Amino acid sequence: MSKSKTLGWHLFLIVICLIAVLPVVFMLSNSFKTLRESYHSILQLIPLHPTLSNYKTLMQEVNLFGLIWNTFFMATLVTFGKIFSSMLAASAFQYYDFRWKKTLYFIFVATIFVPFTTIMIPNYLVIAKLNLLNTVVGVVLPQLCDATGIMLFTKALEKIPASLLEVAAIDGIPRWRIFVNLLIPMLRPNIISIGAMFFINSWNEYVWPTLILKDKNSFTLPLALQNYISSEGGTNFPLAMALSSIMIVVPLVIYILFQRFILNSISSTGLK
Amino acid sequence: MSNSKNKLIPFLCLLPAALILSIFVIIPIGYSFYLSFFNWNLIAPTKNFVGLQNYYSLFTDPINRKVMVNTIFYVILLVILNFLFPYLISLIVKYFIKKMQGAYKIIFFIPSLFSLVVGAMVFSWVLNPVSGPMAFILRKLGMTLPNWTNSGVLAVVVLCLITSWKVFGYNFILLLTGLGSIPQNIIDAAKVDSIPRWRLIWNIILPLNKGVSIYVLILTIVQGLAYVFTPINVITQGGPYYGSSNILYHTYLDAFVLYKTGNASALAIVTFVIFLFLLFLEVRFVERKEASYE
């Protein structure tokens, strides 16, 4: 492999890195520019006259802390619900024998392939019938289970040696204690990586909340951001970018903290 | 422990997942199927039974036909941008360079963390024909950026680029992991025989990586069509004149904007059947190899 050729490949890959990252960097930069400055110094990466005016305007126009809280609260509920329901189901599939086990597992996992538009109308009708439109519960309830989680936890449990559990069972330790004190600590890396992905996905969730949340007080961050984007042109980009910059902080922090866990387990997962 | 208690435990463990999945996924498929035989507007107390009329109109109604053609265009673009391109890059990273592989992985993945609403907003700035940086650079070079929201074809290209910005790193890592699971001794043996690198890749590596690549290919179609929903809704709402709509987006438009529940449900069921077919392909070609990409 010649040196110059390798260098050429690296240059090519660095260009791709720039395409991946530059839009976000410019977004941060523009959020500290006035609308005027953003027009007149388009390619200026470091703002000439950095200003917090966009963030101040946002604070006046929207209930920023309410938005952050709504998004955080829903993402937390969804994440815990998905982790809880998938771990329980996975342990049933891994440690018990029952009739139609394989068929049931296949049906569960196959639900990953069901397009959301196929189930959207009936789900909307159910949530409306239960009087849950515009509520947190209405958004969260249909999302409390995710077959991706069942699949991943079942795979993770397969790797835990059965002998370990047998020893615990012989010692007469009750099942729920085996689950809490033995399985959960052993699954810690999986819980972190799967949980991080569920949380990020839910933090970014757009389609289903758009159908359920119509009242601005119950909005999440993505819905509020959508309100700042005009399809006819005339979007105030610095303002929209300030809101986006606030939005991306949480997923970025999670990524920086758990990057190793997330990337290691991605090969067998589905980050939406 | 008694036998009856033993039977109860797995049942209780499966209960939360089974309840949610059947109420919010499995039963709704059946209900959508039922609704596809009626004309309804989502609100009226009565539904009119029309038999197969809604399915028939999927192939005769010009808007429905336009949406179907668009969907095929979307799939082709998504496969190129979100499958072939990351595959090419993963081959380069795996076999043409030696250092910095970890760093590329970390950086490529960053856009996957962000909402597509953010992606749609940023790219509608980057590609804004009047005030965006791309238009600015092109103007300096004496060219103009076309107003892509006015053209169905260009809008589809941009919308696909936005999803590919988000998905690229994720698919790249999946494919790279697949390449990493190919036994090194096979590659070393080929190197000893001094086979040219492109032949090594074409004749040995690509066939060995078939399982993972088919998995990612199907994922690209299934998730790509779902992902592209968000930038469509944020930027074009399916326009100009349904030019950037696809089968998933049009289901939403019919159901919640035009209140044509019957047509929406027929589209929903057709989408389901297509995805079911892709699931069948996945099971046929990938599941047997599942254990190999860990």
Side-chain angles (χ1 to χ4, degrees):
Chain A
M1 214 181 298
S2 74
K3 264 244 157 73
S4 63
K5 245 186 184 170
T6 316
L7 191 70
W9 290 124
H10 278 295
L11 283 176
F12 177 61
L13 294 169
I14 287 167
V15 169
I16 298 174
C17 288
L18 289 177
I19 295 171
V21 177
L22 266 188
V24 181
V25 177
F26 266 103
M27 180 180 96
L28 284 171
S29 150
N30 272 328
S31 77
F32 295 106
K33 289 179 184 175
T34 59
L35 186 58
R36 257 184 94 86
E37 196 187 340
S38 77
Y39 276 134
H40 293 298
S41 58
I42 297 180
L43 299 179
Q44 180 71 34
L45 198 54
I46 295 159
L48 295 171
H49 313 285
T51 167
L52 287 173
S53 64
N54 296 312
Y55 292 90
K56 282 179 188 150
T57 313
L58 269 184
M59 297 283 271
Q60 286 159 4
E61 289 186 359
V62 293
N63 177 4
L64 203 52
F65 293 105
L67 284 175
I68 295 171
W69 168 251
N70 284 347
T71 317
F72 176 82
F73 186 51
M74 285 180 206
T76 308
L77 287 180
V78 167
T79 306
F80 277 99
K82 283 182 178 179
I83 295 272
F84 175 76
S85 61
S86 1
M87 276 182 71
L88 276 182
S91 56
F93 282 121
Q94 180 62 24
Y95 297 121
Y96 294 92
D97 270 319
F98 44 88
R99 226 196 296 182
W100 296 319
K101 179 163 123 169
K102 283 211 168 118
T103 318
L104 200 60
Y105 181 79
F106 179 77
I107 293 173
F108 275 23
V109 172
T111 60
I112 297 171
F113 275 77
V114 177
F116 68 87
T117 50
T118 302
I119 53 179
M120 161 181 81
I121 300 166
N123 283 350
Y124 177 84
L125 294 171
V126 167
I127 295 298
K129 200 117 203 154
L130 295 171
N131 255 328
L132 291 172
L133 291 180
N134 268 320
T135 66
V136 175
V137 183
V139 178
V140 169
L141 192 62
Q143 304 191 67
L144 288 178
C145 180
D146 189 325
T148 317
I150 299 178
M151 193 176 81
L152 291 177
F153 278 118
T154 309
K155 275 188 194 172
L157 287 174
E158 276 170 13
K159 293 205 183 95
I160 294 179
S163 54
L164 211 65
L165 301 172
E166 278 158 20
V167 171
I170 290 167
D171 286 347
I173 300 170
R175 271 160 208 271
W176 67 270
R177 293 224 25 196
I178 297 179
F179 192 79
V180 173
N181 294 354
L182 194 73
L183 282 184
I184 290 184
M186 292 194 77
L187 288 176
R188 217 178 73 102
N190 306 84
I191 296 173
I192 291 174
S193 62
I194 299 168
M197 278 185 268
F198 282 159
F199 191 89
I200 292 172
N201 286 341
S202 183
W203 180 268
N204 293 333
E205 170 88 72
Y206 171 75
V207 181
W208 179 242
T210 320
L211 293 178
I212 299 303
L213 306 176
K214 298 290 177 199
D215 173 19
K216 282 193 178 173
N217 290 320
S218 56
F219 268 15
T220 57
L221 286 164
L223 303 195
L225 175 59
Q226 138 100 80
N227 266 7
Y228 279 96
I229 306 166
S230 153
S231 53
E232 278 91 45
T235 302
N236 183 335
F237 281 111
L239 201 57
M241 288 174 171
L243 187 56
S244 301
S245 303
I246 294 168
M247 235 177 107
I248 66 171
V249 170
V250 168
L252 263 184
V253 168
I254 294 176
Y255 187 54
I256 290 166
L257 290 178
F258 303 119
Q259 176 256 111
R260 195 169 46 96
F261 290 102
I262 295 175
L263 291 189
N264 280 348
S265 69
I266 226 109
S267 40
S268 46
T269 49
L271 187 76
K272 281 179 214 161
Chain B
M1 208 169 288
S2 73
N3 219 12
S4 66
K5 201 178 167 189
N6 251 340
K7 273 185 182 153
L8 202 62
I9 294 172
F11 176 74
L12 287 177
C13 284
L14 287 171
L15 195 62
L19 270 179
I20 298 288
L21 288 181
S22 37
I23 295 174
F24 292 106
V25 183
I26 296 163
I27 297 170
I29 298 171
Y31 194 65
S32 279
F33 188 59
Y34 168 80
L35 285 177
S36 70
F37 297 106
F38 293 87
N39 265 347
W40 191 38
N41 65 2
L42 208 63
I43 301 151
T46 53
K47 309 177 180 76
N48 288 331
F49 182 80
V50 292
L52 288 170
Q53 179 62 46
N54 289 323
Y55 288 96
Y56 180 68
S57 84
L58 291 189
F59 301 98
T60 51
D61 178 67
I63 293 170
N64 280 328
R65 272 160 64 171
K66 188 169 185 177
V67 167
M68 296 293 183
V69 173
N70 287 351
T71 308
I72 295 168
F73 184 40
Y74 267 106
V75 169
I76 293 170
L77 270 180
L78 288 170
V79 166
I80 295 170
L81 290 172
N82 294 359
F83 174 71
L84 292 181
F85 182 61
Y87 206 173
L88 196 72
I89 303 299
S90 69
L91 286 169
I92 291 173
V93 169
K94 184 77 192 169
Y95 297 110
F96 289 80
I97 61 168
K98 281 180 182 141
K99 285 176 191 156
M100 304 238 302
Q101 287 161 337
Y104 288 129
K105 246 161 92 170
I106 292 172
I107 296 172
F108 287 168
F109 190 70
I110 291 173
S112 294
L113 301 164
F114 306 137
S115 164
L116 275 164
V117 185
V118 172
M121 187 275 296
V122 174
F123 278 92
S124 60
W125 174 72
V126 171
L127 298 172
N128 188 302
V130 183
S131 62
M134 198 56 96
F136 179 78
I137 294 168
L138 287 178
R139 245 193 325 264
K140 293 267 163 193
L141 300 172
M143 291 181 275
T144 47
L145 187 70
N147 195 347
W148 48 271
T149 44
N150 288 342
S151 145
V153 175
L154 287 180
V156 172
V157 173
V158 171
L159 295 164
C160 285
L161 280 171
I162 294 170
T163 48
S164 118
W165 175 72
K166 181 180 161 90
V167 179
F168 169 76
Y170 177 70
N171 284 357
F172 163 80
I173 288 174
L174 279 181
L175 290 160
L176 191 68
T177 316
L179 293 176
S181 69
I182 296 171
Q184 187 61 39
N185 54 2
I186 297 180
I187 294 158
D188 290 340
K191 274 184 184 156
V192 170
D193 294 343
S194 66
I195 296 171
R197 204 164 351 160
W198 66 268
R199 279 207 47 197
L200 172 73
I201 290 173
W202 188 256
N203 293 348
I204 297 169
I205 290 164
L206 292 187
L208 280 173
N209 200 33
K210 210 173 75 184
V212 177
S213 46
I214 292 174
Y215 171 73
V216 178
L217 176 67
I218 292 168
L219 202 71
T220 298
I221 299 170
V222 170
Q223 291 195 336
L225 285 176
Y227 281 151
V228 88
F229 184 100
T230 300
I232 295 177
N233 198 39
V234 171
I235 300 177
T236 68
Q237 283 95 46
Y241 196 69
Y242 306 107
S244 64
S245 192
N246 66 30
I247 189 167
L248 276 87
Y249 191 72
H250 206 67
T251 311
Y252 161 81
L253 270 189
D254 267 346
F256 294 100
V257 179
L258 308 169
Y259 296 105
K260 298 195 305 195
T261 312
N263 195 51
S265 301
L267 282 170
I269 292 302
V270 169
T271 318
F272 176 65
V273 172
I274 296 170
F275 282 28
L276 207 63
F277 174 69
L278 292 172
L279 171 71
F280 165 77
L281 290 183
E282 204 255 356
V283 174
R284 177 84 173 66
F285 290 109
V286 186
E287 290 299 317
R288 297 289 142 246
K289 295 197 169 186
E290 182 128 297
S292 67
Y293 60 94
E294 207 44 77

